[in-house]
Amino acid sequence: MTTTNEPLLSVQDLEKHFPVTKGLFKRQVGAVKAVDGVSFDVFKGETLGLVGESGCGKSTTGRLVTRLLEPTGGKIVFEGRDITHMGQGKLRPLRRDMQMIFQDPFSSLNPRHTVGTIVGAPFRIQSVQTENGIKKAVQDILELVGLNPEHYNRYPHEFSGGQRQRIGIARTLALKPKLIIADEPVSALDVSIQAQVVNLLEDLQNELDLTYVVIAHDLSVVRHISDRVAVMYLGKIVEIADRKSLYSVPMHPYTNALLSAVPIPDPKARAKSERIRLSGDVPSPLNPPPACRFHTRCWKAQDICKTVEPPLEQLASGHHVACHFPENAPEPATKTAAATP
Amino acid sequence: GGGGGSTKKNGGDTAEAPASQYNAGVTQVVNPSTKTGGTLHMGMPGDFDSVDPGDQYYGYAWNFSRLYTRALTMFKPVPGEEGLQLVGDLAEDLGKPSDGGKTWTYKLRAGIKFEDGTPVTSKDVKYAVARSLDKEILPSGPTYFNDWLDNGDYTGPYKMKDKLDSWKGVETPDDQTVVFHLKKAYGGFDYFAMLPSTAPVPAAKDTGTKYKEHPVATGPYMFKAHELGKRIELVKNPNWDAATDPNRKQLNDSVEVLLGQNEDDLDQRLLSGKIDVKINSTGVGANARKTLLTDPKVKQYADSAPLDRTWFTNLNADVPPLDNIHCRKAVMYAADRSAIQGAYGGPDAGGEIALSLMPSKMTGYEKNDLYGVEANPGGDVNKAKEELKACNQPNGFSTTISFRVERAAEKQTAEALQQSLGRVGIKLEVKGYPQGDYFKLYAGKPDFAKKNGLGLMVYGWGADYPEGFGFFQQIVDSRVIRAAGNTNLGVKDPEIDKLIDQAAAEQDATKRNAIWASVDKKVSDDAFILPYVWAHGLFYRPPTLKNAFVSQNFGMYEFLTLSTQ
Amino acid sequence: MATYIIRRLIAAVMLLFVVSIATFAIFFLVPRLAGMSADDLASRYVGKAANDQMIHEAAVRLGFNDPLVVQYGRFVKGIFLGVDRNYGPGVEHCPAPCFGYSYVTQNPVLPDLLDRLPITLSLALGAAVVWVVFGVSTGVLSALRRGSFFDRLSMGVALAGVSLPIFFTGIVSLAIFRDQLGLVGDVADWVPFTEDPLTWANNLILPWVTLAFLYAAGYARLTRAGMLETMSEDYIRTARAKGLPERMVVVKHGLRATLTPVMTMFGLDLGLLLGGAVLTESTFSLPGIGKYAVDAINNNDLPQVMGVTLTAAAFIIVANLIVDLLYAVVDPRVRLT
Amino acid sequence: MTAPLDVPGSAIDAGPETVLEGADSSVIRGRSLGQIAWMRLKRDRVAMVGGIVIIVLILVAVFAPLLVSWFGHPPAEWHREKIDPAIQAPLGTFGGISKDFLFGVEPTTGRDLFSRILYGARVSLLIAFFATLLCVVLGAVFGMIAGFFGGWVDTVISRLMDIFLAFPLLVFALALGGVIPDKAFGMSGDTLRISLLVFIIGFFNWPYIGRIIRGQTLSLREREFVDASRSLGARNHVILFKEILPNLLAPILVYSTLLIPSNILFEAALSFLGVGVRPPTPTWGGMLAEAVHNYDVAPNFMLFPGLAIFVTVLAFNLLGDGLRDAFDPKAR
Amino acid sequence: MSESAFLDVKDLKIHFSTDDGVVKSVDGLSFSLERGKTLGIVGESGSGKSVTSLGILGLHRGKNANVSGEIWLDGEDLVTASQEHVRRLRGRKMAMIFQDPLSSMHPFYTVGDQIIEAYRIHHKVSKSVARKHAIDMLGRVGIPEPKRRVDSYPHEFSGGMRQRAMIAMALSCDPELLIADEPTTALDVTVQAQILDLMRDLQREFNSALIIITHDLGVVAELSNDILVMYAGKCIEYGSADDIFYRPEHPYTWGLLGSMPRLDREPTERLLPVKGTPPSLINVPSGCAFHPRCPYSDQTDGQSKAEVPALAPADPGHLVRCHLSRTQRRTLWENEVKPVLETQ
Ligand SMILES: Nc1ncnc2c1ncn2[C@@H]1O[C@H](COP(=O)(O)OP(=O)(O)OP(=O)(O)O)[C@@H](O)[C@H]1O
Ligand SMILES: Nc1ncnc2c1ncn2[C@@H]1O[C@H](COP(=O)(O)OP(=O)(O)OP(=O)(O)O)[C@@H](O)[C@H]1O
Ligand SMILES: [Mg+2]
Ligand SMILES: [Mg+2]
């Protein structure tokens, strides 16, 4: 699935800390470490899934990559160019190649604009010349995402959630981007509509040779559309692997727990399943647990987990895990050896 | 005084209010009574300029301050003409002039005490006059003593602490004698001696600007409370002795004044008898006026009292073409005085149509109707046009008329003039200015008036006291004109100035009055002033009010005699 | 919390500074720009018969010739250190905080203000009670019976309240209720609450109601809108699902949540009113702060105006602060930082 | 190009009309939220009455000279013959109402009250409109900037609003009105007074709307369409004016209609306290202020200006309330 | 549906009159439920699930709602019972857990107060007794340190704890019928799993009848004995969990199953969604409400547009509302749908 060796997007040690202030002079007393050292590569034509529980920093990562937020640290390289701290002016032409699909089909479309205006906005903002005028171009895109071109003059509120999400997708497609970051593109939609949109995304990828980073919390959706999947926990990536190996041989205990927590729509399955039940909730990113952040909820945790932070290591080909005691690890001996001081 | 007993019960026997007659109070005492007790409730739309006798200028303030202070002389508290007579008050009698009217001597009555029982001496009078000279601490009072006394460079006891004895303006040869030394002769000095600033102030109790919180009483009442701007309460002064004071009585147990009342509301309460007297100079407002004049049951308790006041408009000779007397005369002819009379409230509440500047009720008034007003109160358009021709402005001209914006009557006057002068082509632009600054910054500032072309300036004047000098000097003597803050808005005629000097020095009252009549005539000739209304005030005395009559001098009810029992 | 209050108080002081500077500027800068000289200004504060010399002296005494900064500095100094004043026979010290002496009556400003405060307080608080009781209960009932005749009628009456100027309603109500029907006491016969509470209330009832009429509308509408919104909240559904009687659902769950914005508005309104219910006091001859303000302005009496403005601003600021603090008490979600 | 869909062409079969339940599909085609609000407003009879009254009022104000020439007398013309000289009250019933003088006459001057009310509408409405405009423009611009940029910009503007809110408005208006000279800024007379009033009212009232706009902007800023626009590379001013402003039009419109009545009353209050437009130009507030002293003399003099203010304020309030309901989906 | 069932809903109709017309949110719904059993209701957003549950609790009365039909709870008809009577039953006999625990708890009162309040309405006990009970309940739903947490405000709880508190509140009076309206939709998977476990355990312990409403088939599969599939206010298929998952008869149910990406099967290239969008509840499509979206509507001889199909038994206890004949459905399922689904 990795077609070239040169990544389209490369993220290294990305950090975003939101300051927390207090007191008379707004002293900074701490930081929400929303994203705290995240690294991954995205290769042309593939889909990278990013999963994790609420608040673990998925959206923040997405917004950092699209530079809607200013990173606190780390590096973002897009098409070989370092865009980590690139000014908005310089960034503008690059934005054509990198677009974002938003989660909420209701708030991501300006209710005061017509579909034509919304989908045509990229052309206007980027001053792109179109062969037969903007209207024609917009109508073509509308058709592409399965909307009726006659909807050009209608307003978002006249559409259902799924249709709105299509409008949002149409907008991101207008400039024929290379990379699309989709932040929970289907989680606001009903199951049946969700499936429509998932299919649409896949079809568009084939048709237009797109690269996706899909952010989601629904593991089954992610599995369905991703080539590779990264699992986040409290601002860090704990496991990243291609789909098949992640879902069939998950190594990080958290990934295991996540997978086993997903309810299976099969009445017979409930009898036979032996579940891993995590206790408690995700800790606050304001005071993340030290070292391995998962140790507070991990059933395999030992003292080392509280003191030494496990690095993200490749344990099988293309399968990186950050854990002292990974499950299903191919060479457990080396791992434990490395872990003992 | 005696009285005592239960004063709470109000009359009791007579359920029906005693019948009375419209205007009865102008000529006679209504509801005479000598019963004592009760509280006299007074109400006031604004506040006194001050209740410090050395710091007040308004008629009602002078009227009121006699309840608790005694000046050297006073107007006799009786109705009618007789009320214009001066009699001794603190002094045994009127002043004795000497030195051709440059020196005036007063003998104090014996046995007069301050409210704390200390006897009043001539020194207290001297001190009172001395402190009134300091216009920085006591700015509001008249400046007669500053202008006329032989002060040298003495400026009062506050700035010159130890110079009081060396000040020669007033001398006290003994404890009962006060001698005034003037710069030049003045025949009517007894009127000055009537000013409240001659009321004794004990130097030891003088608190300067704070004296108004509690002026020390010599009259029948004294201050019990003074909530500044809100309320005054007077009670009987135990050290007042009726034997020393033939002019006053002490009928009320107390006198209460509510300050800062909404005027319409105050009128309502006056009509319903909750308030006994309204303290102001023009009487009731428009709403009450209607009730008073249309409801006979109410009208019987009303008095339309003539005041020493004329409403007029100055014609500014600094502003062309009004520098031409014919143009001024055109205005004199064209004005519709009856409309203006309406603006001031009609004949009863506003006043009579004025024929000349001097109010007809003043001593020495002589009729003088140069512009045929009596025959044509609505104006004489033909004559006006003739004068315009004579002025080389046959089609009229344009100028500006100013007025005090807070005064509805003056506003309407300006509009009425705009209408009536419009008939002969004189176009007026109407401009209102805040009354607080009217004299200091606008109409009373010749520079401003000239620069802004204020050709007409709506105005009005009441005499300080009912004698020619007290009326005319401030408004027609060209020598009082200053850079700003003028009371004479531009009457400049050397002949008039000369006549004023003559009259001032004249010792004989009759001769003096004759000169004032000729001043009045001269003013008409010059057409510097367009008079239109001799003011009346429409006053109401609730049926329960006793001993009520209009003081000819103050042009309002005499406060000294009022009682409620 | 403590730092929060401190921060707010510091901000409040700054705010008062700016307000005072602006007041000062309006009084001195604007006339200067319009070409008035120091003497022109001073001439307002001397007696009727003052001559040029006296005016000039007054200008010097009042310090109008000094640069504006110096004049303003003097005012600030007065507040922090007090002022020495020549009152004639001697010099007295007006202790800090001294707002100075009236140019016109020569009275010290602060005692005057304090003297008038009880009246304004009585007026504002009384009216506030009336309007809150009526406004809120009308609002709640309207919301519960949305679209009913009562709803329409009460909202109509409420609107009529905001649509009529108070000097109109004041005069009319005086004419009807006091003069025609004789139902209520006389506003002008002001009695302090401490002396005779009944008379106090009887005399003030008319201004209370008139003033409340003006405000009740806003509260009724705000409460109504708030109730409509709250009553559709999920937690109201929960309360019903628990089996709470409807009255408890409305009062304990619905109204409680609705009152928060009402409280905010209330704090602001009350703060504003304490600075002087100008029109009401003028109409009803109540010698309160509002009346004082109007007189001060009509007399161009800067120290008085300054005093009133700062008092009023302080009330507004304090009311704001209290509202914010109360907010945190009432709504546990609010954290003050 | 074929649409890459699993069921080509059919995914859109169920029309979007379904979202707007019950409405006929042909009726709602291409309607903006504004149009929908208008549809709702049209159904709100009370608000429509308010709207119609306002239109009538505006027409009356605009065509006052014409109407007066048909039905009345010039507003400054005296009719002393209509006045009882003794008490200066109008002759005839209820202030001398007749077909010649539809609302009767003023006491003392006998001026035609009808034409003065009509001319008064011009000034009162003019002041209210422009003051509101000023409020709205200032409030919207500052509120939007504060809410959108946040940080120190927000702090500065918010504090500025606090300062304005802390000013006892009426006191300030009075003070400012009192010290302004006769001529200033190249204006004089009524022009100056009116501009001044507009300035005072507008300038001191804007923080109210400013706060609301700021609040709305704060929440709009978090809406994803703003991020969407930014991720397309839109500049701040484009986002501010093209994306956010259109969403603020509804609250602005609503608050304007609610501000106008309060500004009319404000003008009235200022006139009552003597800093309004100077006579003889009639304004409703000014007339009412005078009438208060004459309610017994000429009840019509109090009634008609009072009624005019009442009706106008009420009409704007009703329309404003209606607009609010129409724009607020929750209010259904 | 025997007469003696604990909860027996018959032909329930809940219509709302709005400006735009009558919203037929629930239109002739019938089902029954025994103590100790769990019924799952699934359906798309807007299909009337929540309205049904609120209807059972009698929370629609007054206003613009029009409730008709019968709701027999333990032998009483709640539709005709007095409002006051139903209120007394609420909380004590039947209770409800809502989707969003944050907005469903009053933000101004502590969690403890809210449980105490619920308890004291139905039990005449002192505050301190009620408080003990509240602490006890909080402990039972697995909130650590309940003594301390009882005085916390809802916003101080995490999502999972809030939902536990909601459950504690609902269970505080031992209700015999518990309705959970999307109890886990707002929660993370790991927390959802905890809550589902908790509910299962509690239901066993309290032996109450449970209705669980969701659109997540996985959740239903975990908990339910019976499943009711709703579409446009109507029940379109009703049966045991096995019926619905292994022998579904209605094309819409097929669509639901096909729409779900599943972890338990090999991923396919494509999902098989139901085309189109949910219908309006004001202008419900004529005939079978699902016909505009049904790929097989052309096999019904035009009936689907003309006539509302009846809810007819396919197997014992398995009801389907479809015009397709039994054999047609069987064939389609076996030949067309199942093979595609199986490959997933
Ligand atoms: N602007 C911000 N200021 C402060 N904290 C923030 C900000 N944005 C996000 N956070 C915090 O950063 C953390 C990560 O947030 P993020 O939105 O990236 O999570 P997420 O994984 O997308 O979660 P969800 O599934 O709920 O969308 C959260 O704890 C959040 O509260
Ligand atoms: N009070 C009401 N007035 C009018 N319509 C209503 C009312 N309550 C619900 N509805 C309508 O009834 C329909 C069914 O709503 P319901 O809440 O039962 O859906 P749901 O199946 O629970 O959906 P979701 O999965 O989104 O919660 C919706 O179209 C809704 O708009
Ligand atoms: Mg997110
Ligand atoms: Mg629901």
Side-chain angles (χ1 to χ4, degrees), chain B residues 520-543:
Chain B
D520 189 35
K521 208 166 154 302
K522 188 74 190 119
V523 173
S524 289
D525 288 346
D526 287 347
F528 283 127
I529 284 180
L530 162 67
Y532 27 74
V533 172
W534 287 325
H536 275 224
L538 184 62
F539 295 97
Y540 180 76
R541 45 184 154 81

Side-chain angles (χ1 to χ4, degrees), chain C residues 65-88:
Chain C
N65 291 306
D66 298 335
L68 285 187
V69 188
V70 176
Q71 293 189 44
Y72 179 74
R74 233 184 340 251
F75 166 77
V76 174
K77 194 178 145 214
I79 287 184
F80 288 107
L81 301 175
V83 165
D84 287 323
R85 180 194 56 149
N86 172 15
Y87 65 97

Side-chain angles (χ1 to χ4, degrees), chain C residues 191-263:
Chain C
V191 190
F193 175 76
T194 43
E195 258 172 44
D196 183 355
L198 268 181
T199 321
W200 170 80
N202 188 34
N203 291 350
L204 278 171
I205 189 97
L206 216 47
W208 283 346
V209 172
T210 324
L211 191 55
F213 192 40
L214 192 70
Y215 282 85
Y219 286 77
R221 291 160 84 193
L222 186 70
T223 311
R224 178 176 178 273
M227 275 305 272
L228 285 177
E229 202 170 319
T230 323
M231 291 308 281
S232 64
E233 291 283 353
D234 286 352
Y235 52 79
I236 295 295
R237 197 181 55 189
T238 311
R240 292 211 175 100
K242 283 197 268 191
L244 285 194
E246 192 60 19
R247 196 173 41 80
M248 252 172 105
V249 173
V250 170
V251 176
K252 195 174 165 195
H253 291 245
L255 192 56
R256 170 82 194 267
T258 307
L259 283 182
T260 328
V262 173
M263 205 177 66

